Amino acid sequence: NQIANITDFTTKMTLLGVSTDTTAGIFEFATKVMGDNVTQAQDMQEELVQTARAIGMQPGLMTQAFARNAPKLALYGENINKVFKEMMIQSKATGISLESMTALGDNFKTFEGAARSVAQLNAMFGTTLNMTEMLRIQSTEGPAGILRVLQDQLQGIDLEGSQGFFA
């Protein structure tokens, strides 16, 4: 019965534009790495499809991106879907690639990296970022949270004008 359920689900995902390989890869990741059961793995994929539609993205592209980035995002545990969805929303809104966003987040995964990055950003842009807060944001919200804070802090700063950073 479970095999028939998985087969039906995979067919449904194929009709939505998600390849069989991607569906299988997400099933494998969800069940082996995350410890989810089949129903949870299906719910995860359906949530990805809904998010893709909500932001005007093809479900196949969203699920491929998830499958490609899931091993890096596994550290967020049960928040993986939330973190990934926020990253995709930020990526779509800003044009910043998932890879760039992940690299940005990597700078805030350790105490030393966060201290160095916060000090550099505060010195370059005159921001008032707090290293402890940035570590907390990275651990709970992921790279999208870091990007959101940076956007908030840099809002209104003229980076290109006569007094700007790129002048």
Side-chain angles (χ1 to χ4, degrees):
N1 190 24
Q2 191 169 10
I3 292 173
N5 181 20
I6 292 171
T7 302
D8 290 345
F9 181 81
T10 303
T11 301
K12 174 184 168 186
M13 295 302 283
T14 302
L15 294 172
L16 293 170
V18 179
S19 75
T20 303
D21 288 342
T22 299
T23 300
I26 294 174
F27 264 123
E28 183 175 11
F29 173 80
T31 56
K32 290 186 178 178
V33 176
M34 301 301 294
D36 291 347
N37 62 38
V38 171
T39 302
Q40 291 168 317
Q42 288 173 335
D43 291 346
M44 174 189 290
Q45 293 188 62
E46 287 174 343
E47 195 173 328
L48 291 170
V49 168
Q50 290 170 359
T51 300
R53 287 179 168 166
I55 65 172
M57 180 180 233
Q58 295 176 358
L61 294 176
M62 173 77 90
T63 53
Q64 283 175 354
F66 180 84
R68 196 173 51 249
N69 289 282
K72 296 176 203 163
L73 299 174
L75 66 104
Y76 297 105
E78 64 186 36
N79 291 328
I80 189 170
N81 245 17
K82 179 182 177 218
V83 169
F84 178 75
K85 287 187 327 185
E86 287 300 317
M87 288 177 67
M88 291 303 293
I89 291 166
Q90 284 280 5
S91 178
K92 178 91 170 154
T94 63
I96 296 173
S97 72
L98 284 178
E99 290 75 19
S100 295
M101 212 178 302
T102 301
L104 171 68
D106 287 347
N107 293 328
F108 294 92
K109 284 184 178 175
T110 65
F111 185 83
E112 180 182 320
R116 183 178 55 253
S117 296
V118 165
Q120 289 172 339
L121 289 164
N122 286 340
M124 285 192 300
F125 300 113
T127 55
T128 57
L129 298 171
N130 177 295
M131 185 220 26
T132 306
E133 181 66 7
M134 296 301 278
L135 279 168
R136 185 197 64 74
I137 290 168
Q138 168 60 16
S139 69
T140 57
E141 299 176 43
I146 296 291
L147 183 59
R148 180 188 40 77
V149 169
L150 293 178
Q151 287 175 314
D152 291 347
Q153 286 280 319
L154 296 175
Q155 191 172 32
I157 295 176
D158 183 9
L159 298 175
E160 296 179 359
S162 62
Q163 301 298 316
F165 181 73
F166 295 109

